[in-house]
Amino acid sequence: MDLLRHLRHFVVVAHELHFGRAAELLRMAQPPLSQSIQRLERELTVELFDRSRRQARLTTAGELLLGEAEELLAGEARLRNLMGQVRAGELGVLRAGVPPETPAVTLRALLDGLTTRAPGLDVELHELTTAEQVRMLAERTLDVGLVHHPVAADGLRFGAPVDVPLGVLLPRTSPLARDRAVALASLADLDLVAAPRATAPGWHDHLLAVCRQHDWRPARIRPARNPEFLFGLVLAGGAVAVEPATVARREPRITWRPITGTPLVRRTSAAWPDRSAHPAAAMFGQLAAEVLADAEPVAPAPASVPEARPWPVLFDTTG
């Protein structure tokens, strides 16, 4: 027996005290409505209406049931609304990962945007490398993350990517800082400061491959996990880093120069499991793309590079 459906019928009849008008409001024929009320009475083993007069009246049982039925139906509506918000990703807990180098202003914009779009969503933000995020997404201990491509992992769906051209971080006193752009081949005598390979294997391997293609084979790869350590190694001399222009803004003694031909871009996008994903994952991915696009403005392209498309698309995350 569909108790809630029969109770909805009962409440309308109880308010109208007329089966014909109630049937019109419910958009059903009167005989099925009468049968619904009779079945409810049989189920509860009481009479709900006094039908001995021309106009139906509630019995004592009917009067007592009316308040309970309305409260129960209101509770059902609240429950359905609550579950609808959960399905839409507006409630619950979202476990999200972001790269350790994410600037504070970007984190603030991301959290503010989530608060605006889903004020009832509790966001647990974790500082994680791409490799850590991929592993935790597979283990389902993370709902969504921001990863650097290329990512070699099955079972993931990716949001809209944001491409940021990379350049060379140099001490301001470096002779190379006098040029408008730096060729990778001109860095032949310098070491490369980069995140350890374990943090993002796909990106690390791609970075070294492009450097070799452009005649730069760093003698050493100096691992650096955080910007301060990276700056220290660059300022010590003998090494450079390849990063977005925004990284240089954190250290006044460091300058950024674009790479001739713009052979390197960093592609970042949200990633989440392609099955049984968190309802808010896609929303997080869309918002993250908007925030990253605003936080990482494209640097002016060198004169030799067409402005319509200042860098090549190296990875495709839609496959």
Side-chain angles (χ1 to χ4, degrees):
M1 175 184 180
D2 186 350
L3 179 61
L4 292 176
R5 180 170 65 88
H6 294 298
L7 287 175
R8 281 191 287 271
H9 294 169
F10 163 74
V11 168
V12 176
V13 177
H15 282 295
E16 293 298 320
L17 293 177
H18 191 283
F19 279 82
R21 289 196 300 269
E24 292 177 3
L25 291 174
L26 291 166
R27 295 184 179 180
M28 60 186 301
Q30 184 172 335
L33 175 59
S34 298
Q35 294 169 9
S36 175
I37 299 301
Q38 291 169 3
R39 184 169 181 182
L40 179 62
E41 289 176 323
R42 288 196 302 271
E43 182 71 22
L44 300 178
T45 64
V46 294
E47 288 189 359
L48 300 174
F49 294 95
D50 180 358
R51 301 175 177 80
S52 61
R53 303 182 183 184
R54 171 173 289 183
Q55 183 177 10
R57 292 189 179 186
L58 287 170
T59 62
T60 300
E63 292 175 350
L64 293 174
L65 178 62
L66 179 59
E68 296 292 334
E70 289 177 328
E71 185 176 342
L72 183 60
L73 293 173
E76 181 209 17
R78 290 192 298 269
L79 180 63
R80 290 184 181 276
N81 180 63
L82 182 66
M83 294 301 101
Q85 289 179 287
V86 172
R87 287 195 303 274
E90 299 172 358
L91 291 177
V93 178
L94 178 69
R95 300 165 299 180
V98 296
E101 71 274 12
T102 306
V105 65
T106 302
L107 291 176
R108 175 64 184 273
L110 184 58
L111 290 173
D112 286 350
L114 289 169
T115 298
T116 300
R117 298 189 185 190
L121 187 65
D122 183 11
V123 181
E124 291 183 0
L125 211 55
H126 301 273
E127 182 185 40
L128 299 166
T129 66
T130 292
E132 290 170 334
Q133 292 183 52
V134 170
R135 174 179 57 80
M136 293 177 67
L137 287 168
E139 296 172 350
R140 299 305 178 97
T141 55
L142 193 70
D143 298 313
V144 64
L146 286 179
V147 299
H148 296 319
H149 294 270
V151 174
D154 297 327
L156 291 181
R157 183 178 301 176
F158 298 99
V162 176
D163 292 339
V164 178
L166 302 186
V168 181
L169 295 186
L170 303 159
R172 287 190 176 275
T173 56
S174 170
L176 291 170
R178 301 170 188 167
D179 300 327
R180 290 186 58 196
V182 175
L184 289 176
S186 67
L187 306 174
D189 297 329
L190 299 173
D191 295 339
L192 172 64
V193 181
R197 183 180 184 278
T199 63
W203 166 249
H204 189 275
D205 294 345
H206 174 75
L207 171 62
L208 295 184
V210 173
C211 290
R212 290 192 296 269
Q213 291 168 10
H214 290 77
D215 299 321
W216 178 31
R217 291 172 173 79
R220 285 193 299 170
I221 309 297
R222 300 188 183 184
R225 290 181 176 272
N226 64 75
E228 292 302 320
F229 190 65
L230 181 148
F231 294 149
L233 292 178
V234 171
L235 290 171
V240 296
V242 178
E243 297 288 341
T246 52
V247 175
R249 299 173 188 169
R250 308 184 192 184
E251 172 52 65
R253 294 170 293 176
I254 293 286
T255 190
W256 183 89
R257 290 293 180 267
I259 301 171
T260 303
T262 319
L264 283 166
V265 297
R266 174 172 291 171
R267 170 164 286 190
T268 304
S269 79
W272 61 90
D274 61 0
R275 294 184 179 180
S276 303
H278 191 287
M283 181 268 290
F284 178 93
Q286 179 181 357
L287 175 62
E290 296 170 4
V291 170
L292 290 175
D294 290 340
E296 299 279 9
V298 176
S304 59
V305 179
E307 294 193 11
R309 187 170 183 173
W311 62 82
V313 174
L314 301 180
F315 320 116
D316 186 2
T317 63
T318 61

